[in-house]
């Protein structure tokens, strides 16, 4: 199996990140313990290996899986945890309406929004961790199609495709007061203009939402 199809993880150092909400004008700082984050977005090959499914519109082993909902992503995390001998992180409600995160479990999970941005920035403070054309597939250079993971320059911590190619599901609820259970999406995608492909850009999606520029990458808490 090609290395890109696996679930290689990079150790992310502790730190803090300041997030903001445009609607409420609120800013808040989150302190982060060390954790691990996948080098690449989850590929179609790995997703099929674990679930037996290929939900994506485009087809290619090394393409990021897309067309996956937030629910699909957390179920994948649990299934991968079980395969690798870890304790699943998520407890899904029997009615299908919610999920709990067991912070004591050592399995795979989605990153929090704060973890995602901290890892994306890798110590930088600007909108991107490098020149956009060198680090990301976006509307300006993607020819309006998705691309294999790892084809663009990694950030300083070795993470590829943090910006562009596919949006990444995060664990967090976006804005419960206005959008209910909608979850946070980060990173921008292959069809987005440059202003949507920034380290701070936020989008939202219903947890059942599936579209051809939304995927995910996995995290693990450091034990």
């Amino acid at each position: 199996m090609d290395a890109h199809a696996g679930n290689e993880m990079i150790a992310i150092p502790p730190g803090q990140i300041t997030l903001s909400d445009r609607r409420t004008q609120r800013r808040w700082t989150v302190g982060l313990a060390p954790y691990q984050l996948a080098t690449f977005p989850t590929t179609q090959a790995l997703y099929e290996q674990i679930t037996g499914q290929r939900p994506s519109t485009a087809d290619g082993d090394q393409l990021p899986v897309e067309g996956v909902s937030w629910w699909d992503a957390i179920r994948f995390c649990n299934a991968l945890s079980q395969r690798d001998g870890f304790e699943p992180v998520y407890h899904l409600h029997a009615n299908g309406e919610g999920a709990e995160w067991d912070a004591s479990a050592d399995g795979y999970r989605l990153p929090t929004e704060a973890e995602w941005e901290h890892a994306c920035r890798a110590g930088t403070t600007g909108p991107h961790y490098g020149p956009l054309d060198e680090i990301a597939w976006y509307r300006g250079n993607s020819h309006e199609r998705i691309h294999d993971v790892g084809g663009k320059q990694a950030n300083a911590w070795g993470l590829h495709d943090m910006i562009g190619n596919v949006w990444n599901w995060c664990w967090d609820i976006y804005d419960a007061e206005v959008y209910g259970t909608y979850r946070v999406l980060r990173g921008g995608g292959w069809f987005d203009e440059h202003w949507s492909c920034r380290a701070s850009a936020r989008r939202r999606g219903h947890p059942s939402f599936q579209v051809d520029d939304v995927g995910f990458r996995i995290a693990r808490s450091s034990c």
Side-chain angles (χ1 to χ4, degrees):
M1 183 176 67
D2 187 289
H4 289 180
N7 55 312
E8 298 78 23
M9 310 289 284
I10 287 177
I12 306 299
Q16 63 178 32
I17 194 81
T18 299
L19 303 175
S20 60
D21 180 82
R22 186 180 298 174
R23 182 183 71 84
T24 63
Q25 300 297 304
R26 188 169 68 94
R27 291 171 61 83
W28 66 101
T29 299
V30 180
L32 296 167
Y35 57 101
Q36 300 172 40
L37 194 66
T39 307
F40 308 104
T42 301
T43 62
Q44 291 186 23
L46 180 59
Y47 193 86
E48 182 179 32
Q49 188 183 104
I50 300 305
T51 68
Q53 299 174 342
R54 282 224 180 205
S56 304
T57 303
D59 184 52
D61 283 354
Q62 305 309 314
L63 294 176
V65 70
E66 32 84 2
V68 285
S69 69
W70 182 87
W71 286 112
D72 294 330
I74 66 169
R75 289 189 185 101
F76 171 88
C77 289
N78 276 358
L80 184 64
S81 297
Q82 290 173 320
R83 187 199 73 170
D84 289 355
F86 300 129
E87 184 180 357
V89 166
Y90 299 119
H91 300 296
L92 279 60
H93 297 177
N95 63 6
E97 292 298 315
E100 303 297 332
W101 171 3
D102 180 357
S104 69
D106 63 354
Y108 300 104
R109 58 179 177 79
L110 295 179
T112 66
E113 178 177 19
E115 287 174 334
W116 186 94
E117 186 167 334
H118 175 59
C120 177
R121 290 189 176 282
T124 63
T125 56
H128 317 118
Y129 49 83
L132 191 59
D133 279 307
E134 295 178 16
I135 65 169
W137 296 111
Y138 70 108
R139 192 180 293 195
N141 64 10
S142 70
H143 303 291
E144 297 191 3
R145 64 179 178 84
I146 199 168
H147 289 262
D148 286 356
V149 301
K152 289 293 186 178
Q153 192 177 98
N155 71 9
W157 293 346
L159 298 160
H160 291 264
D161 300 296
M162 288 298 292
I163 292 177
N165 222 3
V166 288
W167 289 86
N168 291 183
W169 285 112
C170 294
W171 164 254
D172 309 64
I173 287 176
Y174 181 85
D175 182 341
E177 184 180 342
V178 175
Y179 296 102
T181 61
Y182 278 49
R183 299 284 170 162
V184 170
L185 291 160
R186 287 300 208 109
W190 56 266
F191 195 65
D192 285 281
E193 298 286 0
H194 63 88
W195 57 77
S196 291
C197 296
R198 307 186 320 276
S200 61
R202 306 172 79 225
R203 200 166 102 182
R204 62 190 178 273
H206 188 273
S208 64
F209 178 64
Q210 297 169 315
V211 71
D212 62 0
D213 66 350
V214 169
F216 66 98
R217 74 174 68 216
I218 54 174
R220 275 188 78 209
S221 300
S222 293
C223 302

